[in-house]
Amino acid sequence: MFRILFVIHYFLLFLYSSSLISPIPLDIEYNEQKALLGKKLFFERSFSKDDTISCASCHLLESGGDDGLKFSVGVEGRFGNINAPTVYNSFFNIAQFWDGRAKDLEEQALGPIHNPVEMDSDIITVIEKLKKNKEYVELFKKIYNDEIKSEYIQNAIMEFEKALITPNSRFDRFLRGEEDILEPIEKKGFEAFKKYGCISCHNGINIGGNIFQKFGIFKEHSDHVNFGRFSVTKNEDDLYYFKVPTLRNISKTAPYFHDGGVKTLKGAIETMAEYQLGQEIPDDDIEAIYKFLLTLDGQIPEIAK
């Protein structure tokens, strides 16, 4: 029954697919002072137990906003069991983390600090470390008119990550009316992207990130380590449901999926066709979709440089 409903859902979306994706705004309002403090905190290694890991360790801003690894490396060389998502454009997501356990970026900021595999610390210890740094004491006093507190740390990091949008991709320019900005094969890829139903899950301003979907609709996936939304809700109907990842800058964020199980973008397209769409897509359409996805690379914001 679920598969039948999904197919009906797909065809309804296809009928109205021309307006399902919105371009990223060319700029976004944020508090610059707080964002610059958040940037400093983003690179702060004292967040971790052994002063070796920062947010930037797993979210490389000079590339795709992730670390390019199947699983990230935390304190003492510990490996996690889920792929690090990109931090770019994360402000537009419906929730944070693959399972959506954090409702927004402020709540998300504490997650890695307390995770025993990632930073293996706690916010009280982090605050005590920061208070020993005169520059931080002065910055928090200047910006928040108070001493260093957890809510200010979270807020500053949120303001920085809010600023990490990548606008003005060639596809965004196409959506804004520059018809000739895309090559014919890229336009063909967008049509195929709609025709096969990729747009049924990858839509909205982030071309993903706005819904949860089961990984393995038409074919069961072999990963039985990560349970997706079920880990949060304990509702069996949420088993293996994950936040649909953004396709923004997708060419720079390999390996793919929550398990980091696919190394190439073309391989990811084939996997999606098999597991999510129950189809075998011809090679020429895979190539066209691949070319379309390359047009989703946006501009790295100045604050990230």
Side-chain angles (χ1 to χ4, degrees):
M1 176 60 72
F2 175 80
R3 294 178 183 177
I4 295 172
L5 290 173
F6 177 80
V7 171
I8 294 173
H9 172 69
Y10 148 57
F11 278 113
L12 288 173
L13 282 172
F14 179 72
L15 291 174
Y16 302 99
S17 59
S18 59
S19 60
L20 283 178
I21 299 176
S22 303
I24 290 177
L26 296 177
D27 52 50
I28 192 168
E29 290 186 9
Y30 63 90
N31 185 301
E32 186 175 11
Q33 277 193 319
K34 292 180 179 180
L36 290 174
L37 173 57
K39 180 179 182 179
K40 187 174 178 63
L41 294 170
F42 191 84
F43 285 88
E44 182 55 64
R45 294 180 181 270
S46 67
F47 274 26
S48 61
K49 180 180 180 179
D50 58 5
D51 300 330
T52 62
I53 302 295
S54 70
C55 304
S57 299
C58 301
H59 299 285
L60 309 180
L61 299 183
E62 65 271 21
S63 53
D66 64 348
D67 56 11
L69 301 175
K70 181 176 182 178
F71 301 132
S72 299
V73 183
V75 294
E76 299 176 355
R78 300 170 194 167
F79 282 92
N81 62 2
I82 199 161
N83 185 255
T86 178
V87 70
Y88 280 120
N89 305 304
S90 56
F91 176 72
F92 299 121
N93 290 337
I94 190 174
Q96 305 302 322
F97 299 113
W98 283 97
D99 57 12
R101 64 184 179 275
K103 69 178 185 294
D104 54 31
L105 288 172
E106 287 194 75
E107 187 174 314
Q108 180 273 336
L110 294 183
I113 294 173
H114 294 99
N115 190 309
V117 175
E118 297 181 53
M119 295 179 175
D120 194 21
S121 187
D122 62 85
I123 192 61
I124 295 175
T125 301
V126 170
I127 290 172
E128 290 306 310
K129 286 182 179 180
L130 295 180
K131 283 182 176 179
K132 295 177 182 178
N133 185 312
K134 182 179 178 181
E135 183 182 6
Y136 276 125
V137 172
E138 292 176 349
L139 281 171
F140 278 89
K141 181 64 175 177
K142 176 183 177 182
I143 296 171
Y144 292 99
N145 195 32
D146 202 350
E147 62 180 359
I148 301 172
K149 294 181 179 180
S150 175
E151 56 263 38
Y152 303 147
I153 293 172
Q154 293 172 256
N155 180 254
I157 292 174
M158 181 278 290
E159 285 292 328
F160 173 58
E161 293 184 342
K162 179 181 180 181
L164 297 179
I165 63 171
T166 60
N168 221 29
S169 70
R170 287 199 299 120
F171 183 63
D172 281 346
R173 292 171 64 184
F174 172 77
L175 291 177
R176 289 192 172 98
E178 293 187 51
E179 291 285 337
D180 296 332
I181 196 70
L182 298 188
E183 299 293 332
I185 191 172
E186 295 166 343
K187 292 179 181 179
K188 177 185 176 182
F190 180 43
E191 292 305 314
F193 182 84
K194 294 186 289 184
K195 178 181 73 174
Y196 288 108
C198 311
I199 200 168
S200 64
C201 294
H202 292 283
N203 52 65
I205 194 170
N206 222 4
I207 318 181
N210 57 347
I211 61 170
F212 295 94
Q213 183 56 275
K214 183 179 181 181
F215 192 26
I217 294 175
F218 287 89
K219 182 178 179 180
E220 185 177 347
H221 194 258
S222 60
D223 177 21
H224 296 297
V225 175
N226 294 294
F227 302 121
R229 286 292 289 164
F230 173 80
S231 299
V232 179
T233 67
K234 306 306 178 185
N235 184 339
E236 289 192 7
D237 290 339
D238 290 331
L239 195 60
Y240 306 125
Y241 273 73
F242 296 88
K243 184 183 68 183
V244 174
T246 175
L247 294 184
R248 298 284 184 181
N249 310 297
I250 193 67
S251 71
K252 300 177 181 179
T253 58
Y256 300 105
F257 307 125
H258 69 278
D259 64 347
V262 177
K263 296 180 180 180
T264 68
L265 186 50
K266 289 183 182 179
I269 297 169
E270 293 172 348
T271 299
M272 284 288 93
E274 180 180 2
Y275 286 87
Q276 302 304 103
L277 303 174
Q279 301 185 57
E280 184 175 339
I281 298 179
D283 290 343
D284 59 338
D285 280 348
I286 288 177
E287 179 67 20
I289 293 172
Y290 168 75
K291 292 291 188 181
F292 159 65
L293 294 178
L294 297 185
T295 73
L296 303 180
D297 289 352
Q299 296 175 346
I300 302 298
E302 286 299 318
I303 196 170
K305 298 176 182 178

